[in-house]
Every structure is written in C-alpha cells, then in structure tokens.
Amino acid sequence: MKVSVLVPVFNAEEYLAYCIESVVEQTHRDVELILVNDGSTDNSQAICNQYALLYPNKIKLLYSENKGALHARVTAMRKATGDIFVFLDADDCLSPEALERIVRCFEEQFCDMVLFNAGSCEKFPTRNIIHTLESGTVFDETSKVDAYKKIILSQIPNSVCLKAVKANCVEIPDYFYQINIQHGEDLLLSAHFLTKCRKIFYLDESLYFYRNRLGSAVHSFNLERKESIKTVHITLEEYIDTWGIPELKPLHNARKVRGWVDNLDLLIKNRKSMNRKDYREELLSMSNDSYFRLAYVSMDNTVLSLHCRLLARWLYTRNFFLIDMITAIKNIKKIFH
C-alpha cells in the first residue's frame, strides 16, 4: 500500500530537516511526501527544494499563500496519490517503523482508520500523548457513538497527526478549502474522518514524535482565535445532526464553553501585553458573545473541571472583579517562583 505523508510547512526551518528525514528513511518504502509551503517567510522553501532534489521520486512540493494548516492539508490531500494518508507537522517527526506498522494494521484489520500515540524522542524535548483506550479497541458502525463522544469530550483523539486514514474514505467538502481558520482544524477534520470511516482500529504504540513549543498558536492569544473556535464548533454541530445523536449536544455545549474558557485563560496570561482598556473590552466582548451565552445555558457542566466552571460562571455573570483577582494571584505566584 502506498502512503502519502502530508506536511503543512510554515516557518519551520529549525526543525524541517528532522521531519523530512524521518519520512524518507522509513522502513516502509512505498511513500510519497507532500510538502505544502504555507507562505513561509524563513528558509523553509530552500530546505524543501534541497530535499526535493535529493529525493525527486519521493517528494512533491506545493506552495500556497498563508491560509493556515487546514487549507494546506486539504491542498495536500487533493494532490496525494497514496492509498493511505498520514498527517505530520513540520516541527515533528515519525518513528522509523511508523508507516510499516500502520500499513500492517490496515492489511490485518481491514479498517479505514488507525489511531496511534505520540511518544518521546531523543532529538528534541517532547511529551507523550496517549489515547485513553484499551489496546486493539475497534470502533465500527455499531459502536462509533463512543468515538463521537470521545471526540466531543476530549482533546486527545482530535489530533489528525495521530490518525492514518484510507484515501478512499476522504471526501473533502469544498467548504473545507474555503473557510479560513487558524485554530481547531484538527477537530473539524477528525469529525469528518470519523463520519466517513466504517471501522477504526487503535494501535497502542507511540509512532509519532510531537514537539511542544511554547511559542506555537496553541499557547498564544489573539483575537482571531475566537472566530476560528466558533467556526469549527458551529460546523461540528452540523456533524452531530448528521450523526443523529442529539444527546451529544449538551456535551458539545460544554466543550464549546471549555474552549471559550481556554481562550480566557490565554487572555489572562497575556494581560501584561495589553492596555487596560483593550483588556476590558475583550472581556466584555467574550462575555456578551451569543455563541458563549447560548452554550453556557444549554451545557452539561458535570464534565467540566471546577476551574472551568468558575471562570465560565464569572464570565457569564460579568463578574470581572473575580477574574481580575485570578490574574493578580497568578502574577503574585510568578514573582515568588
């Protein structure tokens, strides 16, 4: 089986060589590597060119304006010719036998998707990401509701980089190519893949090496983040209707609130970089947003942590004084640590 490894590349010159070499040195040889330069302004394109010259039969280069990882991945999927799609970020890499193990699962399990874990790597600091499933777990048409619940409740199953998908199960809607989101694209793609795949197999092995960078979008606050989150979850609501599982909606509303509170946490962490007026206006904007307020009154809050419930309540009731207190306490802790 031919494997297409799809890599969006944006300003990844420091790590890109590790990423590319981890693919071209795989024990499974029938591989194409598709690199999509998403408008990089550093030396990434030159590195891509260099490796494409070294491996002309294995590497395909594509270029697009900076439109984000979702656009780059969809672009790569449309050009891919493999039987299996594997997703890799440009600052991460694969274990040497990753593709061999993945292909073997598809051949032995007759499945449409394989889930796997991320582990540690000697080349750079990382952290483990492990699915909370038993080894060999199978989701099929009779048990996929459990997979849908997991994608709603947990962030771990959402990463497309911990999924391999059969190409014939990937029918990407045109609107995936058109929407502009900078955060949450993994959740959107995961929901689409789960909908299309009839049988999903979990391989309890760490095949992916994930780099945890503090400067990445996951750890940064910006005003576009909220709009991306809203777009993703509004689309996810349509998938829930497609699945025909209305009981997931209160859980999904809790997930929406948790995402909103995550954004609030990032706003608090970045408080010092904003003037007081802008900070207050952003708090008020987050509190007044109908997306958040409707989710708050319709959610199942039993699945949220106490921290999340408190911040959500204070934001909903516009109790900014208590939110400011949290900010002050965190700043004091930083001084004494």
Side-chain angles (χ1 to χ4, degrees), residues 105-296:
C105 281
F106 279 105
E107 292 175 342
E108 294 177 352
Q109 301 297 327
F110 303 101
C111 55
D112 301 310
M113 180 193 294
V114 175
L115 308 178
F116 47 90
N117 301 328
S120 58
C121 176
E122 294 180 0
K123 292 184 178 179
F124 48 76
T126 187
R127 63 187 175 91
N128 294 336
I129 303 177
I130 300 174
H131 290 284
T132 54
L133 303 169
E134 291 186 11
S135 180
T137 298
V138 173
F139 298 107
D140 56 22
E141 292 300 337
T142 61
S143 61
K144 275 175 66 175
V145 64
D146 295 327
Y148 294 144
K149 286 182 178 178
K150 287 183 180 296
I151 196 175
I152 294 296
L153 291 174
S154 174
Q155 292 182 345
I156 291 177
N158 297 343
S159 173
V160 293
C161 291
L162 302 185
K163 297 178 176 68
V165 187
K166 270 197 173 178
N168 59 13
C169 293
V170 179
E171 300 172 7
I172 298 298
D174 286 340
Y175 68 83
F176 271 24
Y177 201 71
Q178 298 163 359
I179 60 176
N180 183 16
I181 58 174
Q182 301 297 325
H183 182 81
E185 72 279 353
D186 279 19
L187 177 58
L188 207 55
L189 283 173
S190 293
H192 181 73
F193 294 156
L194 283 176
T195 303
K196 295 294 182 180
C197 293
R198 292 163 298 177
K199 181 180 178 182
I200 302 163
F201 181 80
Y202 170 53
L203 176 64
D204 186 15
E205 294 184 20
S206 296
L207 305 180
Y208 191 97
F209 299 143
Y210 169 82
R211 187 188 305 273
N212 189 24
R213 288 196 290 152
L214 291 177
S216 67
V218 174
H219 302 280
S220 305
F221 174 81
N222 61 72
L223 301 181
E224 295 177 354
R225 179 187 172 97
K226 291 189 309 177
E227 297 308 313
S228 290
I229 290 173
K230 288 165 64 173
T231 299
V232 166
H233 283 282
I234 289 170
T235 306
L236 187 57
E237 287 173 348
E238 298 175 5
Y239 278 101
I240 292 174
D241 290 335
T242 300
W243 299 337
I245 314 174
E247 60 268 29
L248 286 180
K249 290 190 175 181
L251 297 175
H252 181 229
N253 283 323
R255 176 69 183 273
K256 289 161 68 175
V257 169
R258 189 177 72 196
W260 214 243
V261 169
D262 287 346
N263 209 50
L264 176 59
D265 272 328
L266 289 175
L267 176 65
I268 291 170
K269 288 177 182 177
N270 289 268
R271 169 69 181 88
K272 288 187 176 181
S273 65
M274 306 174 67
N275 63 51
R276 182 174 179 79
K277 180 176 179 293
D278 289 344
Y279 175 72
R280 283 288 172 167
E281 287 181 355
E282 185 56 32
L283 279 178
L284 190 60
S285 173
M286 292 186 68
S287 175
N288 289 339
D289 198 298
S290 59
Y291 165 89
F292 163 69
R293 300 191 74 80
L294 288 172
Y296 182 85

